[in-house]
Amino acid sequence: MACHMSVVTLLPLYWRRHGIEDGEIGWMAAGFSIAAILARSRLGGWLEQWGRRPFLYLGALLLTVMPLTYPYWGLEFLPWFCLRLMQGAGYAFYIVAVL
């Protein structure tokens, strides 16, 4: 998790260096939190219906695989925003399933 947090701290600097606008950087950075909040609103019912294990595995998978794909996403806004949404959902799935 520490490696993930250091990368997240450096992502806006990477995006800025490659000419992505400040507003887009803000949305990409906020996408993680937006998805986590939205996923948590439905997660309680899903956990009762399907149990914790699928969400634990899915969350761990999303949090592990998505950062490994960073070099392949290019520098377009929409792919990065979708990536951050998937990571945020993975974080919500994992943390809520653990707790």
Side-chain angles (χ1 to χ4, degrees), residues 62 69 82:
L62 288 172
T69 66
C82 291

Side-chain angles (χ1 to χ4, degrees), residues 33-47 92-93 96:
S33 298
I34 291 168
I37 291 167
L38 293 176
R40 285 184 184 125
S41 68
R42 298 281 309 175
L43 201 51
W46 292 342
L47 286 170
F93 292 164
V96 173

Side-chain angles (χ1 to χ4, degrees), residues 43-75:
L43 201 51
W46 292 342
L47 286 170
E48 288 180 11
Q49 185 175 1
W50 294 305
R52 295 179 341 159
R53 188 168 294 190
F55 295 99
L56 196 61
Y57 289 141
L58 180 60
L61 181 71
L62 288 172
L63 285 174
T64 302
V65 172
M66 290 299 108
L68 295 175
T69 66
Y70 281 171
Y72 308 105
W73 284 86
L75 293 170

